[in-house]
Amino acid sequence: MMSEGSSFMKGMILGGIFCLVMSFFETFNSGTHSEGHEHLHHHLKPVSKDELEKLSESQMSDWTLQVRVYCLIMVTPKLLVHWATANDTWSKHCDKSVFYTSESSKALEAVDLQEQDEWARLRKAIKHAYENAGDLRWFFVARPTTFAIIENLKYLVLDKDPSQPFYIGHTEKSGELDYVEYDSGIVLSYEAMRRLIGMFKDEDRCPERGHALWKTPEEKQLATCLKYSGVFAENGEDAQGKGLFNKKSVSSLISDNMGQNPADAVEACCSDMAITFAGMSPSQMQVLMYGVYRLRPYGHDFHDSLTFLPPKDSDND
Amino acid sequence: MKALGARSAFYVGFVVGTCTLYVLLRQVGFTRNVGSVEPEAHKKSPLEMVEEENKNWKKERLALFNLNHPHHTGEDGTLADALYKRVRILCWVMTGPNNLEKKARHVKATWSRHCNIVVFISSVDDPDFPTVGLNTKEGRDQLYWKTIRAFHYVMDKHGDEADWFLKADDDTYVVVDNLRWILASHSPEDPVYFGRRFKPYVKQGYMSGGAGYVLSKEALRRFVVGFRTKVCTHTSSVEDLALGQCMEKIGVVAGDSRDTLERETFHPFVPESHLTGTFPKTFWYWNYCYYPIVQGPQCCSDLAVSFHYVDASHMYLLEYYTYHLRAFGYKYRYQPPEPSVIQDLNAPAPDKVEIGDIEEKLGAEEQEGEKKSLEHNEKL
């Protein structure tokens, strides 16, 4: 009787110590691991205002050149109205914007890839963009149902070296795979593009036509190919940790946040330096164009270290 | 038998020990949760919210006095601040008891924070919100009565504390900073009023009620005198038209509120309608606008002052677009000229009354003032 009791007690104490040791080990391990993981891979923020202020004139002009963006806008004739809207609005702020279509439309100009499969189309577009990049080093891939504020994209990648692999956007997890959500736009650096195109040749790990019976969405196929070439998805966010890439419309995000205390709706909904919104109607996109590039309260100025000029031959910005 | 019992007891004890300590540690929060990184948004408790409100607003005599002109992180608001001091605007918002929760509180949470003084005009006094009750009923036919009494009320209670007096509905969104830009080039001693100018019925035109309109101090004085001398009376319940007719009679000029590129600033509809809408040719709007209607991007100034038919969530959307969302480093195409009043910043502002002075006078004035306004309202 006594020996059983004491055995039980010994067992309990040993169990407790075991648990303590394991949790110490776990925190220490996952702490450094995730910290390291976060620091290098997960969250990407813009350069701080202090850093910007320390820059010299020449550094500033170097960065202005380096941060130019090639926009790949993946369209189909079904999305004609959004296509026309993207053409008339935000795409004018890309340094080069090219529309890639599944089949040509008489109404609007585009590179006709003559390809119905989305993943195959994306691959062709990426190859075409890389070959025609000139001296542009940043690439932004989106559908015309997305609205992008390119100046804020430039702000995010301003101090990042495009000869390093970068794959940025709103990240989601699918099992073990971190991927960038297509609807909220995908940012790729020149090096990421280069590696990706290299990976396209690998028919086993990065096939053009999937072998499976079901189709994997192209955003996940992209993430897989990039992962095999050592490029990992990073979530773009502002200094306060708010996501910059949104897969919803501005009005949805505001409604979502109006619940408990509507007065917080504006602060909580979205970042001041938001880069993308998705799921907006063409007229909502025109209003957003006005809201970003024109509507403002007189007398409130921001002395940003960089200047981006309005595009030529445009009147809605 | 004994050895077996002891061993199993040991194992059971081990498991129990592990589990107990795990639960204990979890409670303390020691073990790492498999949760995502929480955003830094700090949800304020109701008490904190009230405290913050008290820092920024002073509730006095059923009006809200803005103590701090709202500032945004990272911005240089010196120009806006200068205008805030020089061009003092009292905003009165037409609302009613049924609309306080549905509409008026969203006005309170957004654009009215940029006025120097805000008064919510209702049919019932509500010291909490706060609203002023003006001895009227509710309903469309009461609009001009409410307007007449509201202007008399603000002249009486706050006449010395502001230079310009804006009327807005609880579904109007106003960018008060842009209103200051327009008004800064005019004197409050001029008999003038501004809004979205309509042309029918009144020779010099009249201002759309829904889009909001603003009277100079002199215009307000003449309005009050006009009613005292019966030059103006309650002619109809069509508030904006009736007011416009009165303005013409008392010699108040209907001003041109367009920007330096002749683009409208006060708007009777939401931005989407003006920017993308196609008004059918039979729509009344085509026959009403005093100035040529422009559809598409040039419909609206960058320095827009107002939009109408703005519902609750739209208020926050416009607040986000106006005061928050921006494009980094973007040089705006339209570079508005600085208003002339900025150039003589060193000159003292006319009739400036500090909040401190108001506090002193409060005790003595209040009783007298209330007696006077009671008489006044009875006459009307």
Side-chain angles (χ1 to χ4, degrees):
Chain A
M1 235 2 200
M2 277 293 275
S3 61
E4 272 180 6
S6 59
S7 300
F8 183 81
M9 288 311 293
K10 278 186 214 157
M12 253 195 83
I13 293 166
L14 226 68
I17 295 168
F18 173 74
C19 183
L20 263 166
V21 169
M22 285 308 288
S23 39
F24 259 120
F25 188 67
E26 186 205 352
T27 9
F28 182 70
N29 201 19
S30 60
T32 47
H33 179 262
S34 58
E35 200 190 325
H37 190 74
E38 271 170 38
H39 198 72
L40 287 174
H41 291 293
H42 233 97
H43 306 275
L44 197 95
K45 295 188 185 197
V47 61
S48 72
K49 195 158 184 182
D50 299 325
E51 287 286 320
L52 269 182
E53 276 162 18
K54 287 186 206 148
L55 290 175
S56 65
E57 282 267 342
S58 65
Q59 177 106 59
M60 207 63 83
S61 53
D62 281 346
W63 276 7
T64 314
L65 278 177
Q66 185 181 266
V67 90
R68 289 174 303 153
V69 178
Y70 184 123
C71 295
L72 296 80
I73 305 155
M74 308 299 294
V75 300
T76 63
K78 268 196 221 141
L79 297 170
L80 197 66
V81 189
H82 277 98
W83 177 349
T85 308
N87 193 31
D88 186 42
T89 59
W90 62 267
S91 69
K92 291 189 278 193
H93 291 251
C94 305
D95 295 276
K96 184 174 176 139
S97 62
V98 181
F99 289 80
Y100 295 94
T101 181
S102 54
E103 52 185 284
S104 66
S105 159
K106 288 195 197 112
L108 292 161
E109 256 183 54
V111 172
D112 186 3
L113 298 171
Q114 291 164 353
E115 179 64 69
Q116 287 300 323
D117 181 66
E118 286 112 336
W119 173 230
R121 207 159 65 226
L122 186 57
R123 288 168 65 117
K124 284 187 181 173
I126 286 172
K127 274 188 247 174
H128 181 274
Y130 184 77
E131 280 154 24
N132 292 280
D135 50 359
L136 299 177
R137 290 291 169 267
W138 287 98
F139 301 82
F140 177 66
V141 188
R143 295 191 183 109
T145 43
T146 305
F147 189 105
I149 303 166
I150 299 296
E151 288 79 5
N152 291 347
L153 170 53
K154 293 186 178 185
Y155 176 53
L156 178 65
V157 299
L158 195 54
D159 62 336
K160 278 77 180 169
D161 182 2
S163 61
Q164 291 292 310
F166 284 99
Y167 166 44
I168 313 162
H170 173 95
T171 52
E172 293 278 344
K173 219 178 172 67
S174 173
E176 278 302 311
L177 183 73
D178 279 339
Y179 66 96
V180 168
E181 247 254 323
Y182 203 157
D183 279 336
S184 36
I186 305 171
V187 181
L188 291 162
S189 68
Y190 191 75
E191 175 62 15
M193 294 279 280
R194 191 191 67 79
R195 292 194 193 185
L196 180 60
I197 289 166
M199 205 66 212
F200 283 163
K201 299 189 187 109
D202 187 335
E203 264 298 308
D204 289 317
R205 291 188 293 173
C206 186
E208 185 163 352
R209 316 275 163 180
H211 309 301
L213 288 165
W214 61 91
K215 271 182 76 174
T216 315
E218 57 273 39
E219 57 197 355
K220 291 188 190 167
Q221 300 219 44
L222 182 69
T224 309
C225 295
L226 281 165
K227 187 173 175 181
Y228 281 132
S229 56
V231 185
F232 300 94
E234 293 182 81
N235 196 50
E237 38 193 69
D238 67 10
Q240 286 76 42
K242 267 197 217 141
L244 293 170
F245 295 84
N246 297 292
K247 52 181 183 170
K248 285 181 165 187
S249 67
V250 189
S251 40
S252 298
L253 289 165
I254 289 196
S255 303
D256 287 349
N257 284 283
M258 267 181 78
Q260 262 271 316
N261 184 33
D264 283 338
V266 178
E267 269 303 318
C269 108
C270 332
S271 174
D272 287 11
M273 313 305 295
I275 297 174
T276 58
F277 294 100
M280 294 173 76
S281 73
S283 28
Q284 285 175 329
M285 285 166 78
Q286 293 281 3
V287 179
L288 176 49
M289 190 75 176
Y290 173 72
V292 172
Y293 292 110
R294 295 177 57 203
L295 180 64
R296 62 201 185 269
Y298 183 79
H300 297 258
D301 294 310
F302 291 88
H303 306 293
D304 294 323
S305 313
L306 255 68
T307 304
F308 297 112
L309 295 175
K312 294 196 178 84
D313 306 321
S314 179
D315 78 336
N316 57 3
D317 54 18
Chain B
M1 198 60 179
K2 237 190 198 173
L4 224 107
R7 184 161 283 174
S8 46
F10 179 81
Y11 290 142
V12 171
F14 188 82
V15 170
V16 169
T18 318
C19 293
T20 315
L21 215 71
Y22 182 73
V23 167
L24 230 92
L25 289 174
R26 245 224 123 103
Q27 288 288 347
V28 174
F30 190 77
T31 51
R32 203 167 165 76
N33 287 330
V34 193
S36 50
V37 180
E38 272 196 11
E40 275 166 44
H42 168 59
K43 287 227 162 85
K44 304 188 197 107
S45 68
L47 187 65
E48 275 181 292
M49 289 193 294
V50 170
E51 274 175 19
E52 201 178 277
E53 269 195 27
N54 289 340
K55 266 189 251 153
N56 293 319
W57 307 65
K58 197 188 199 76
K59 217 187 283 184
E60 239 178 56
R61 297 175 279 144
L62 297 177
L64 287 163
F65 291 82
N66 263 315
L67 300 173
N68 300 304
H69 185 210
H71 268 209
H72 207 62
T73 31
E75 78 167 18
D76 170 14
T78 39
L79 193 50
D81 282 348
L83 281 178
Y84 182 82
K85 294 197 184 90
R86 280 300 236 125
V87 186
R88 299 171 303 163
I89 301 180
L90 179 147
C91 307
W92 72 261
V93 182
M94 179 96 82
T95 186
N98 294 334
N99 281 340
L100 292 190
E101 284 306 299
K102 275 193 290 177
K103 298 184 178 188
R105 78 168 166 147
H106 304 298
V107 168
K108 189 170 137 186
T110 57
W111 64 262
S112 67
R113 298 177 305 130
H114 303 272
C115 308
N116 298 71
I117 307 172
V118 188
V119 181
F120 288 91
I121 297 289
S122 176
S123 51
V124 176
D125 270 2
D126 179 338
D128 281 320
F129 193 86
T131 67
V132 172
L134 288 179
N135 199 25
T136 63
K137 296 190 278 276
E138 287 297 323
R140 271 195 86 82
D141 60 325
Q142 297 292 305
L143 286 178
Y144 195 37
W145 276 121
K146 264 178 157 175
T147 305
I148 296 166
R149 292 190 176 149
F151 275 121
H152 278 79
Y153 174 87
V154 299
M155 181 59 175
D156 184 33
K157 297 285 192 184
H158 304 286
D160 291 334
E161 295 160 351
D163 307 305
W164 298 86
F165 302 83
L166 170 81
K167 175 261 173 183
D169 286 345
D170 52 19
D171 60 350
T172 309
Y173 183 86
V174 182
V175 187
V176 186
D177 291 288
N178 291 344
L179 181 54
R180 289 198 182 92
W181 175 74
I182 292 177
L183 298 178
S185 306
H186 300 269
S187 166
E189 302 305 315
D190 289 341
V192 66
Y193 78 126
F194 294 97
R196 168 60 83 111
R197 204 165 166 189
F198 282 165
K199 69 181 175 209
Y201 311 121
V202 184
K203 190 151 173 257
Q204 68 163 359
Y206 68 96
M207 305 306 173
S208 153
Y213 49 80
V214 60
L215 272 62
S216 68
K217 175 122 73 190
E218 178 60 23
L220 181 57
R221 277 191 206 115
R222 293 194 187 190
F223 184 74
V224 171
V225 169
F227 274 85
R228 196 169 63 227
T229 59
K230 304 272 199 264
V231 170
C232 293
T233 55
H234 183 275
T235 47
S236 88
S237 61
V238 183
E239 161 242 337
D240 47 10
L241 175 53
L243 187 118
Q245 287 166 331
C246 171
M247 289 287 126
E248 191 166 69
K249 282 200 201 129
I250 59 182
V252 172
V253 174
D256 180 357
S257 57
R258 297 175 301 169
D259 70 13
T260 54
L261 294 180
E262 291 184 348
R263 297 180 300 195
E264 296 276 12
T265 52
F266 289 76
H267 301 98
F269 301 107
V270 291
E272 198 166 319
S273 304
H274 291 283
L275 289 165
T276 68
T278 38
F279 301 116
K281 287 293 176 185
T282 51
F283 194 43
W284 60 264
Y285 186 60
W286 290 100
N287 295 320
Y288 267 59
C289 286
Y290 192 91
Y291 303 109
I293 292 180
V294 180
Q295 288 187 311
Q298 298 310 310
C299 65
C300 317
S301 174
D302 289 20
L303 301 184
V305 172
S306 71
F307 294 101
H308 186 218
Y309 298 118
V310 179
D311 67 16
S313 61
H314 215 124
M315 290 264 169
Y316 298 104
L317 185 106
L318 287 174
E319 185 87 353
Y320 176 65
Y321 282 171
T322 311
Y323 286 95
H324 294 252
L325 181 64
R326 67 189 190 89
F328 178 76
Y330 187 65
K331 180 159 196 253
Y332 294 110
R333 207 182 283 276
Y334 180 54
Q335 296 289 320
E338 242 181 46
S340 49
V341 80
I342 292 298
Q343 273 124 46
D344 37 56
L345 262 176
N346 292 323
D351 296 341
K352 196 167 153 72
V353 180
E354 300 281 12
I355 295 288
D357 296 332
I358 298 173
E359 279 181 330
E360 275 187 347
K361 289 190 209 166
L362 242 186
E365 250 192 40
E366 212 169 78
Q367 292 200 333
E368 240 201 76
E370 286 195 320
K371 248 198 261 166
K372 272 196 193 152
S373 65
L374 266 169
E375 283 178 30
H376 225 158
N377 281 344
E378 273 169 24
K379 278 190 196 161
L380 291 172

